[in-house]
């Protein structure tokens, strides 16, 4: 007789929260497609969203409170990602012990990606964007988080952040004391070869 209790490796809401590697070990018997089950699956995942996004949007270097703009952005992306979580209603998304079904791999990856991106923005960009907004820097707002994390913020925005928010922006490489083109060791490219980018 198999042991039904979840192992430490089971994919659950806790592993989503922590970003740990996990195993899809819920044992659920697939059935015929069912619209009610499909809707229930999406509701289950969306129900996790608000809590998980609020936790992911908590800026670790600041006062520990969730950044509202970032949490709201996370929730929107999370709801969009949850659309792949209906599993066509052939199986519940999680079992009675909260373990994700093996069929939920794509769903889990999608919502995990949203949460990890939000955590990165909360750690790196949120304190800086909050300070920049309070100090009246140009080009801040909802896009500030993504642009800073991807090092795409404008020159005038970065200059203002360096001048007015140097402490809060210390984790942002582009804003921490470099100009627009002063990132020598990020990716050395000795010759202009555009065909070798891989993702």
């Amino acid at each position: 007789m198999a042991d039904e209790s979840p192992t430490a490796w089971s994919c659950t809401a806790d592993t989503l929260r922590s970003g740990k590697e996990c195993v899809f070990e819920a044992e659920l018997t697939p059935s015929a497609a069912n619209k009610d089950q499909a809707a229930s699956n999406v509701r289950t995942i969306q129900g996790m969203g608000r809590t998980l996004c609020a936790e992911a949007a908590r800026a670790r270097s600041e006062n520990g409170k969730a950044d509202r703009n970032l949490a709201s952005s996370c929730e929107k992306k999370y709801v969009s990602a949850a659309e792949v979580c209906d599993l066509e209603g052939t199986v519940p998304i999680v079992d009675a012990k909260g373990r994700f079904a093996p069929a939920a791999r794509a769903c889990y990856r999608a919502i995990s990606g949203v949460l990890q991106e939000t955590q990165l923005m909360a750690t790196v960009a949120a304190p800086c964007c909050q300070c920049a907004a309070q100090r009246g820097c140009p080009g801040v707002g909802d896009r500030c988080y993504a642009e800073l994390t991807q090092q795409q913020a404008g020159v005038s925005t970065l200059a203002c952040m360096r001048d007015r928010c140097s402490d809060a922006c210390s984790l942002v490489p582009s804003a921490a004391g470099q100009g627009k083109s002063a990132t020598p060791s990020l990716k050395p490219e000795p010759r202009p070869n555009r065909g070798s980018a891989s993702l």
Side-chain angles (χ1 to χ4, degrees):
M1 194 158 102
D3 180 5
E4 292 288 318
S5 61
T7 70
W9 301 101
S10 299
C11 293
T12 63
D14 285 336
T15 57
L16 265 178
R17 182 178 284 116
S18 66
K20 289 180 181 173
E21 292 292 321
C22 62
V23 178
F24 294 86
E25 62 179 14
E27 293 182 14
L28 296 160
T29 306
S31 61
N34 180 312
K35 285 184 181 178
D36 290 340
Q37 182 62 64
S40 173
N41 286 345
V42 173
R43 277 197 309 274
T44 297
I45 295 305
Q46 289 178 346
M48 295 178 188
R50 180 165 291 190
T51 300
L52 292 174
C53 279
E55 290 173 1
R58 203 167 278 137
R60 294 180 182 152
S61 58
E62 284 283 302
N63 54 17
K65 290 183 180 175
D67 180 294
R68 281 189 197 166
N69 291 333
L70 196 50
S72 174
S73 171
C74 173
E75 285 179 36
K76 286 176 192 165
K77 291 177 186 173
Y78 186 100
V79 166
S80 178
E83 289 175 8
V84 300
C85 296
D86 66 357
L87 306 189
E88 298 179 352
T90 58
V91 69
I93 193 89
V94 293
D95 66 8
K97 297 182 184 299
R99 302 175 297 185
F100 276 82
R105 279 182 176 85
C107 164
Y108 187 95
R109 272 197 303 270
I111 57 179
S112 177
V114 170
L115 295 171
Q116 287 177 20
E117 178 186 42
T118 302
Q119 286 169 348
L120 176 63
M121 289 182 186
T123 302
V124 173
C128 188
C129 290
Q130 289 167 0
C131 175
Q134 289 167 1
R135 304 286 172 87
C137 289
V140 295
D142 291 348
R143 293 187 323 180
C144 177
Y145 304 92
E147 288 179 352
L148 273 192
T149 306
Q150 296 162 15
Q151 297 184 13
Q152 294 175 346
V155 179
S156 60
T157 301
L158 293 178
C160 182
M161 288 173 172
R162 276 197 306 275
D163 292 343
R164 302 179 191 177
C165 299
S166 58
D167 289 344
C169 297
S170 62
L171 292 177
V172 182
S174 300
Q178 301 157 330
K180 181 184 176 187
S181 57
T183 49
S185 62
L186 249 178
K187 220 178 193 183
E189 291 187 48
R191 54 184 191 274
N193 181 359
R194 295 184 151 205
S196 62
S198 62
L199 257 174

